[in-house]
Amino acid sequence: MEQRLSLITLGVRDLAIAKRFYEALGWTSGAAPEDDVVFFQAGGMIVALWGRDQLAEDSGVEDYGGWGGVTLAYNVRSPAEVDAVIAEAEAAGATIPRHGAETFWGGYSGVFVDPDGHPWEVAHNPHWTVGDDGSVTLAP
Amino acid sequence: MEQRLSLITLGVRDLAIAKRFYEALGWTSGAAPEDDVVFFQAGGMIVALWGRDQLAEDSGVEDYGGWGGVTLAYNVRSPAEVDAVIAEAEAAGATIPRHGAETFWGGYSGVFVDPDGHPWEVAHNPHWTVGDDGSVTLAP
């Protein structure tokens, strides 16, 4: 298995609401209104939105609701950009359990939670490199 | 917010077991044995393993256990490669809720679940392009 990830699918309760939230953050997809799944090209991978019940069945897992031990992160190029993205997400309807602040690992981050309970950390990590194309590289 | 994802962190119960599982799939990290987080460079993004309790606290969410509506996927270049990766994951200790088979969307896929309950679909999607660098591009 190569060391890569192709797609992450976020289970949602209401696809239209979830799609509108990510569109409010500036994301665009080619999905038609009648589509039952939405695919966002996100750099060299894809982020999808799909009904959570369907996703659970397709994944062969039981779903008792709630959070399941997965957190996404979006790395940016400055602490100010963390605050800007958290504000943008809040305006789009996210909940904000943690506003931007210095972290124990020497960076600056905050967290927003999307309408379906999926948390995104928005982080400036001075030890990692964010490329012009948005790709992120670990410190050597 | 740019349309990209930098990092996905998988919450785990036992970091050594989780690390060993991904290493058995052929993944490598620069983590030292005493590190309490493991980062895998995965194309232009990063996959991390971290204690689930710490991740829940850091993400500002309640954790009642179980799956939380997120499924990862690894896209490959042929149906035969799906079967090979599922077999590799099974040998590494994954559970296999769904072996490779044709799907309703015209592809071929199976699912493995890692030691912490995180499902990965392994898929051949003839409508998408897997580049030489492993990046995946939606049909135009």
Side-chain angles (χ1 to χ4, degrees), chain A residues 20-45:
Chain A
R20 204 151 51 228
F21 174 77
Y22 284 94
E23 286 173 346
L25 297 181
W27 289 30
T28 58
S29 78
E34 66 274 19
D35 289 351
D36 71 350
V37 60
V38 173
F39 296 114
F40 295 104
Q41 182 76 48
M45 61 168 294

Side-chain angles (χ1 to χ4, degrees), chain A residues 103-124:
Chain A
T103 67
F104 68 91
W105 44 265
Y108 184 94
S109 81
V111 173
F112 73 81
V113 178
D114 86 0
D116 289 284
H118 301 298
W120 285 78
E121 182 176 34
V122 181
H124 175 244

Side-chain angles (χ1 to χ4, degrees), chain B residues 36-125:
Chain B
D36 71 349
V37 60
V38 174
F39 295 114
F40 295 104
Q41 183 77 46
M45 60 169 292
I46 291 152
V47 174
L49 308 175
W50 195 28
R52 181 162 166 152
D53 291 350
Q54 295 155 287
L55 182 61
E57 184 178 354
D58 197 68
S59 302
V61 293
E62 291 289 331
D63 182 16
Y64 302 103
W67 182 74
V70 178
T71 296
L72 312 178
Y74 174 74
N75 278 54
V76 295
R77 298 172 180 84
S78 69
E81 203 182 339
V82 171
D83 292 336
V85 172
I86 293 289
E88 188 178 24
E90 190 164 22
T95 56
I96 312 295
R98 179 154 68 74
H99 279 87
E102 291 185 12
T103 67
F104 69 91
W105 43 264
Y108 184 95
S109 81
V111 173
F112 72 80
V113 177
D114 86 0
D116 289 283
H118 301 298
W120 285 78
E121 182 176 33
V122 182
H124 174 245
N125 183 334

